[in-house]
Amino acid sequence: MSIRLRITLFLVGAIVLTLGSATWLLDAHIDNEVAAQADTNLLERAQALSDIFRMGPIATQSALGTGRMPQFLADDGIVYFNIRCGDEHVLSSPAAADLHWPTMSAGKPVFADMSDAKGSELRGVSLSFPPSSLTGSGKGTSSASSCHLGLAVDLKEVRSFQTSMDRIEYGCVLIAVLIVALLAPLLIRRGLKPLTRLAEAVQLIGPESPERRLDTDSSSELKPLIMRFNEVLSRMEEGLMRERQFASGVAHELRTPLAEMHTMIEVELRYPSHADLRAFLAVIGNIGMEMERLVTALLLLTRIEAGIERVQYQSIDIGALTRKLLERLGEDIHRRHLDVTLGTRQALIWQADPTLLEVVLGNLLGNAVAYAPVGSRLRVSYQSNSWTLQNDAPGLDEDDVLLMHRRFWRKGQDAGVHTGLGVALATAAAGIQSMHLSLKLMSGQLHAVVRTDRPASLSVTDSSSGTGASSPRALASECLSR
C-alpha cells in the first residue's frame, strides 16, 4: 500500500470519526433541547388550561362533549386532557379517561411518554392546582383540597422536527466526507511533491556520478533524511574510490611483472635456452612473490583506509620491536655495509597495535636499508612519545619528500621487490593508531619521525610485547619501498 493511499485512508477515517462523533453529540444535544422546549410549551398550555378551569366558565360543566374543546387546544391535532378534583372526575376530552396518566409526585409537574388506543405517540404532563373558589355548584370542586390536570399532545410534530434536523446534520457530514475524499488525494499528492522530487534526484545518482549529492534546501521534515542519505552517499563514494584505486593500482603495478613473466615463458618456448629448470622456476617464483607482496600490501592499505582493520592496543616495548626489525634486515644491512646505531637502550612502552606498529616501523626501516647509500649510517632513536630514523638521502629533494606519501611513488630507481606502497602504508597504519608520521629532509638526511598521542611509560614488560602475530598485516610489513 502506498504512502499516499495510507495517508488518504487515515485522513478520511479520522475526519469521519471526528465529524461523526461531533454530529452525534450535537444531534443528541439538539434533540434534548427540542424535547425540553416541547415540555416547556406543554407545561405552559397545561397551566393555561388549569387557569381557565379555575376562572369558572368551564368549571360548571360536568363534561366536555365533542366540539367543546377550548379554542387554544382545538387546532393542535390530537389533544387529550383530564381534570379531577379529589377522587372525582370533573372534566375530560373524549377517551382521555382511558389513558394512563403519569402519577403526581410531591406536587410537581410530571412528564411522561404515552400512547392512545390508536397507538399514537403522546407526550403528557400531570400537574396539581387549587380548585375554583367561584363555583360552588361544581361536582366536588368546593370540598376538594386540590385538583389534578392531565394534558397529552401528539409527538408527531416534535419527532418530525427532530428527524429533519438529523437529516440536515448527517447530510452535511456526508457531503463533508465526500468533499474530503475527493480533495484529500489531490492535497496529499501536492503535499508529497517533495518526496517525488527527491526520488527523481536519487535516480540521477549512480556509479558514473558518485560525487553528486541531494539538495538539502528542502522541507524541514525531509532535511534530516537528506542529510543522512548524503552521508551514506559520501561513504559509498569513498568505498567506490578505494575500489577503483585498488583496481587501478593492481592493474598498473601488475602489468610489468606479468609482462616480464609472459615474455620469459614465451622466449623460453620459442628459443629454448636449455638452462637449469630450477633456476628458471626460481625467477618465476620471485616474480610471483613480488606480485603477492604487492597485492597483500595494497589490500592492507585499502582495509586500513576503509576502517575495516580494528586496532587492538597492547603494551609494546618499542626498543625490543626496533631490534627485532633490525635483526630481520640484518642480511641486507650487512650486504650494503650500513652502520646502524640504536641511540636508546631503555625499555620504552607504547600503547599500540603490535602488528600495525610493526608495519609502520618495518616499512620505514626497510626503505632506509634499501635506499640509503652503500656504507652510509642509519641512526635510530626513541623517547617518551616519538621514534626517529635518520639516513643519508643524497638523491632526494624537498619536492620528492612531499611525494613520498603517494601510492606507487618511486624516485626512478630499481624497486626490486618493493611495491612503492611502503610510506603510504606506514602513514595509514600510523593514523589509525592515533600516531603521526612526518618526513623531513635536513642537510641531506631524511628524518622519519613517528609520534604517538597515547601515553608512554618506562616500565619493563614481557619480551613478547615487541612482536606481532603472523598475519597478512605482518606479511605486508615486508613490502619495503618508498
Side-chain angles (χ1 to χ4, degrees):
M1 183 183 296
S2 66
I3 296 179
R4 183 180 303 165
L5 179 58
R6 293 177 61 184
I7 295 177
T8 302
L9 294 178
F10 288 151
L11 181 60
V12 173
I15 292 177
V16 169
L17 182 61
T18 302
L19 290 181
S21 301
T23 303
W24 180 78
L25 294 175
L26 180 62
D27 178 65
H29 180 70
I30 292 176
D31 288 347
N32 292 336
E33 289 294 326
V34 171
Q37 186 62 41
D39 286 348
T40 300
N41 294 337
L42 180 61
L43 179 60
E44 291 177 353
R45 295 163 68 184
Q47 289 174 341
L49 182 58
S50 66
D51 291 340
I52 293 174
F53 175 79
R54 291 177 64 242
M55 290 172 61
I58 301 178
T60 59
Q61 305 176 16
S62 59
L64 289 175
T66 304
R68 300 298 300 276
M69 191 73 66
Q71 185 65 35
F72 72 93
L73 296 175
D75 297 331
D76 291 337
I78 301 176
V79 178
Y80 298 95
F81 73 91
N82 181 37
I83 302 176
R84 298 178 64 87
C85 291
D87 295 332
E88 297 183 6
H89 174 267
V90 179
L91 294 173
S92 65
S93 61
D98 298 333
L99 300 178
H100 298 284
W101 297 95
T103 304
M104 294 291 300
S105 174
K108 296 181 179 181
V110 178
F111 296 90
D113 291 330
M114 304 168 57
S115 61
D116 59 11
K118 298 179 181 180
S120 301
E121 287 187 279
L122 306 174
R123 182 66 173 175
V125 62
S126 294
L127 56 84
S128 62
F129 62 93
S132 173
S133 59
L134 299 177
T135 57
S137 60
K139 185 171 52 175
T141 59
S142 61
S143 60
S145 60
S146 65
C147 295
H148 299 279
L149 168 65
L151 178 64
V153 297
D154 193 0
L155 276 177
K156 184 182 298 183
E157 293 185 1
V158 175
R159 297 292 188 230
S160 177
F161 180 78
Q162 291 177 334
T163 302
S164 299
M165 292 300 299
D166 292 345
R167 291 174 179 173
I168 293 174
E169 294 163 2
Y170 289 106
C172 291
V173 172
L174 181 59
I175 293 174
V177 170
L178 292 177
I179 293 175
V180 170
L182 293 175
L183 293 181
L186 300 177
L187 298 176
I188 292 174
R189 183 182 295 111
R190 185 176 182 85
L192 295 179
K193 196 67 175 179
L195 281 178
T196 304
R197 291 196 295 267
L198 179 62
E200 294 173 353
V202 171
Q203 288 180 345
L204 299 177
I205 301 176
E208 68 283 354
S209 57
E211 72 285 349
R212 298 192 63 170
R213 297 293 182 271
L214 299 178
D215 186 8
T216 56
D217 187 15
S218 183
S219 59
S220 57
E221 292 81 5
L222 291 180
K223 192 170 183 178
L225 177 62
I226 293 176
M227 293 177 63
R228 301 290 87 78
F229 191 77
N230 283 340
E231 292 176 2
V232 173
L233 289 177
S234 298
R235 292 193 293 269
M236 292 177 61
E237 182 186 9
E238 293 174 359
L240 183 61
M241 291 300 102
R242 283 192 295 267
E243 290 181 4
R244 290 180 177 178
Q245 194 174 32
F246 175 81
S248 62
V250 169
H252 179 270
E253 294 300 316
L254 292 186
R255 184 184 297 114
T256 299
L258 286 175
E260 181 182 359
M261 184 183 301
H262 178 268
T263 301
M264 291 179 60
I265 295 175
E266 186 175 1
V267 169
E268 186 65 24
L269 290 176
R270 289 187 178 183
Y271 309 102
S273 62
H274 305 289
D276 184 21
L277 180 61
R278 296 178 60 88
F280 181 78
L281 293 178
V283 174
I284 299 297
N286 289 334
I287 297 176
M289 185 181 300
E290 177 184 346
M291 293 189 292
E292 179 186 3
R293 286 172 173 169
L294 169 67
V295 174
T296 302
L298 196 56
L299 280 174
L300 178 58
L301 179 58
T302 302
R303 289 174 60 86
I304 291 175
E305 292 178 345
I308 300 176
E309 286 295 323
R310 305 180 67 89
V311 179
Q312 301 174 357
Y313 287 103
Q314 298 180 20
S315 297
I316 308 297
D317 186 340
I318 203 70
L321 177 59
T322 302
R323 289 190 292 272
K324 187 194 80 166
L325 294 174
L326 290 174
E327 290 176 1
R328 179 186 298 172
L329 298 169
E331 183 177 346
D332 292 333
I333 293 173
H334 178 73
R335 179 173 52 83
R336 295 178 60 82
H337 307 288
L338 299 176
D339 182 13
V340 180
T341 302
L342 187 59
T344 309
R345 292 292 178 177
Q346 61 182 357
L348 180 64
I349 306 302
W350 279 15
Q351 297 297 319
D353 185 295
T355 306
L356 290 177
L357 184 59
E358 183 176 335
V359 169
V360 176
L361 304 186
N363 275 280
L364 294 177
L365 288 171
N367 284 345
V369 171
Y371 293 106
V374 176
S376 62
R377 172 178 296 182
L378 276 66
R379 177 177 175 80
V380 182
S381 61
Y382 52 87
Q383 50 188 354
S384 60
N385 64 342
S386 65
W387 182 92
T388 305
L389 171 62
Q390 303 175 31
N391 66 276
D392 294 337
L396 297 179
D397 54 31
E398 295 292 343
D399 294 335
D400 295 333
V401 174
L402 296 177
L403 297 175
M404 289 174 65
H405 294 279
R406 294 185 178 182
R407 296 185 178 194
F408 308 116
W409 183 86
R410 301 182 183 91
K411 182 60 176 178
Q413 303 178 35
D414 182 14
V417 298
H418 302 290
T419 62
L421 293 171
V423 176
L425 188 57
T427 302
I432 199 176
Q433 301 178 86
S434 301
M435 297 180 181
H436 307 278
L437 171 60
S438 61
L439 300 175
K440 293 182 180 180
L441 189 64
M442 295 184 297
S443 301
Q445 284 194 329
L446 181 64
H447 292 243
V449 181
V450 179
R451 289 184 173 86
T452 178
D453 295 335
R454 303 182 69 86
S457 63
L458 297 177
S459 305
V460 178
T461 60
D462 186 85
S463 60
S464 63
S465 299
T467 62
S470 178
S471 66
R473 298 194 301 184
L475 178 60
S477 67
E478 299 179 5
C479 301
L480 310 174
S481 63
R482 290 193 189 271

